[in-house]
Amino acid sequence: TDDDLINQLQVAGTISASPATTANQVPTWGQVQAMASSGSYTPTVNVITGAASVSVHSHTYIKIGDIVTVYGESRPTPVVAGVTVIYEISLPIARANTTTKAIGFGSMNVAGGSTNQFVRLESTSATTVRISFNVNAAGTPSVLYSFQYDITQ
């Protein structure tokens, strides 16, 4: 039976293979490694409106296949109640096109505040994500977020 063949297979030496080119072939180790990666990066920031500056902490990303997931925190300062804050941060891995897409969510809380506010994230270019929110209380908010995007779109 086929099960017996698995138990009887013995190899003396090295096994080599060509990269898989169809779905029914086994990928090489290099192809498997190329499908998944992770790391940390400190994004560059472009303030558009509502804040004088934005500090960012190191962000973490995980790429599996064509999907990248990013986790991060940023702190725009100062912010004034009633203002909309908008800024962009760089993506760890570029997207293939520049179509605007909503790609994530987050929450924002001004230090000492008791309520979290929704944060919108959308990618407006191949290399950046735009973060925007309305400010209910003045101060220095901590903005926490995660987002996913497809590098082919």
Side-chain angles (χ1 to χ4, degrees):
T1 67
D2 288 336
D3 289 336
D4 292 335
L5 288 175
I6 292 171
N7 293 327
Q8 295 176 13
L9 180 62
Q10 295 180 3
V11 176
T14 303
I15 295 176
S16 63
S18 298
T21 56
T22 62
N24 66 345
Q25 295 177 329
V26 176
T28 64
W29 180 240
Q31 286 177 306
V32 171
Q33 289 176 313
M35 291 299 293
S37 63
S38 64
S40 61
Y41 79 109
T42 302
T44 58
V45 179
N46 175 33
V47 177
I48 296 172
T49 189
S53 65
V54 176
S55 64
V56 291
H57 299 276
S58 180
H59 287 44
T60 302
Y61 71 92
I62 301 166
K63 177 186 171 287
I64 299 175
D66 293 331
I67 304 300
V68 179
T69 303
V70 179
Y71 303 95
E73 178 182 8
S74 54
R75 292 180 174 262
T77 56
V79 296
V80 179
V83 171
T84 298
V85 175
I86 303 172
Y87 55 96
E88 294 175 331
I89 62 169
S90 59
L91 295 172
I93 300 170
R95 295 174 47 224
N97 72 47
T98 59
T99 303
T100 298
K101 295 180 142 304
I103 61 173
F105 62 92
S107 66
M108 182 274 294
N109 191 312
V110 175
S114 60
T115 59
N116 287 324
Q117 293 175 235
F118 176 76
V119 177
R120 177 181 170 86
L121 292 99
E122 64 183 8
S123 185
T124 56
S125 76
T127 59
T128 63
V129 61
R130 180 170 287 185
I131 299 169
S132 61
F133 55 91
N134 294 318
V135 179
N136 287 341
T140 302
S142 177
V143 183
L144 303 169
Y145 41 82
S146 65
F147 58 91
Q148 284 187 323
Y149 61 98
D150 186 328
I151 61 173
T152 67
Q153 299 180 7

PDB file of all heavy atoms in Angstrom, residues 6 14 57 101 112:
ATOM      1  N   ILE A   6       5.823   4.941   2.400  1.00  0.00           N
ATOM      2  CA  ILE A   6       6.326   6.034   3.223  1.00  0.00           C
ATOM      3  C   ILE A   6       7.290   5.508   4.269  1.00  0.00           C
ATOM      4  O   ILE A   6       8.340   6.080   4.512  1.00  0.00           O
ATOM      5  CB  ILE A   6       5.160   6.809   3.879  1.00  0.00           C
ATOM      6  CG1 ILE A   6       4.379   7.543   2.798  1.00  0.00           C
ATOM      7  CG2 ILE A   6       5.657   7.775   4.944  1.00  0.00           C
ATOM      8  CD1 ILE A   6       3.095   8.166   3.276  1.00  0.00           C
ATOM      9  N   THR A  14      21.690  13.721  -0.400  1.00  0.00           N
ATOM     10  CA  THR A  14      20.938  14.960  -0.332  1.00  0.00           C
ATOM     11  C   THR A  14      19.730  14.908  -1.262  1.00  0.00           C
ATOM     12  O   THR A  14      19.824  14.385  -2.361  1.00  0.00           O
ATOM     13  CB  THR A  14      21.841  16.134  -0.767  1.00  0.00           C
ATOM     14  OG1 THR A  14      22.982  16.151   0.073  1.00  0.00           O
ATOM     15  CG2 THR A  14      21.119  17.457  -0.668  1.00  0.00           C
ATOM     16  N   HIS A  57       5.904  54.903  18.431  1.00  0.00           N
ATOM     17  CA  HIS A  57       6.694  53.841  19.029  1.00  0.00           C
ATOM     18  C   HIS A  57       6.981  52.815  17.944  1.00  0.00           C
ATOM     19  O   HIS A  57       6.383  52.839  16.870  1.00  0.00           O
ATOM     20  CB  HIS A  57       5.927  53.199  20.184  1.00  0.00           C
ATOM     21  CG  HIS A  57       5.617  54.153  21.288  1.00  0.00           C
ATOM     22  ND1 HIS A  57       6.514  54.449  22.286  1.00  0.00           N
ATOM     23  CD2 HIS A  57       4.516  54.911  21.538  1.00  0.00           C
ATOM     24  CE1 HIS A  57       5.980  55.331  23.115  1.00  0.00           C
ATOM     25  NE2 HIS A  57       4.764  55.635  22.681  1.00  0.00           N
ATOM     26  N   LYS A 101      -8.273  52.377   0.500  1.00  0.00           N
ATOM     27  CA  LYS A 101      -8.977  51.257   1.113  1.00  0.00           C
ATOM     28  C   LYS A 101      -9.016  51.438   2.617  1.00  0.00           C
ATOM     29  O   LYS A 101      -8.012  51.806   3.210  1.00  0.00           O
ATOM     30  CB  LYS A 101      -8.255  49.934   0.833  1.00  0.00           C
ATOM     31  CG  LYS A 101      -8.207  49.507  -0.599  1.00  0.00           C
ATOM     32  CD  LYS A 101      -7.471  48.191  -0.686  1.00  0.00           C
ATOM     33  CE  LYS A 101      -8.005  47.224  -1.674  1.00  0.00           C
ATOM     34  NZ  LYS A 101      -9.330  46.805  -1.649  1.00  0.00           N
ATOM     35  N   GLY A 112      -5.853  60.114  31.123  1.00  0.00           N
ATOM     36  CA  GLY A 112      -6.762  60.492  32.195  1.00  0.00           C
ATOM     37  C   GLY A 112      -8.218  60.446  31.797  1.00  0.00           C
ATOM     38  O   GLY A 112      -9.098  60.595  32.631  1.00  0.00           O
TER      39      GLY A 112
END
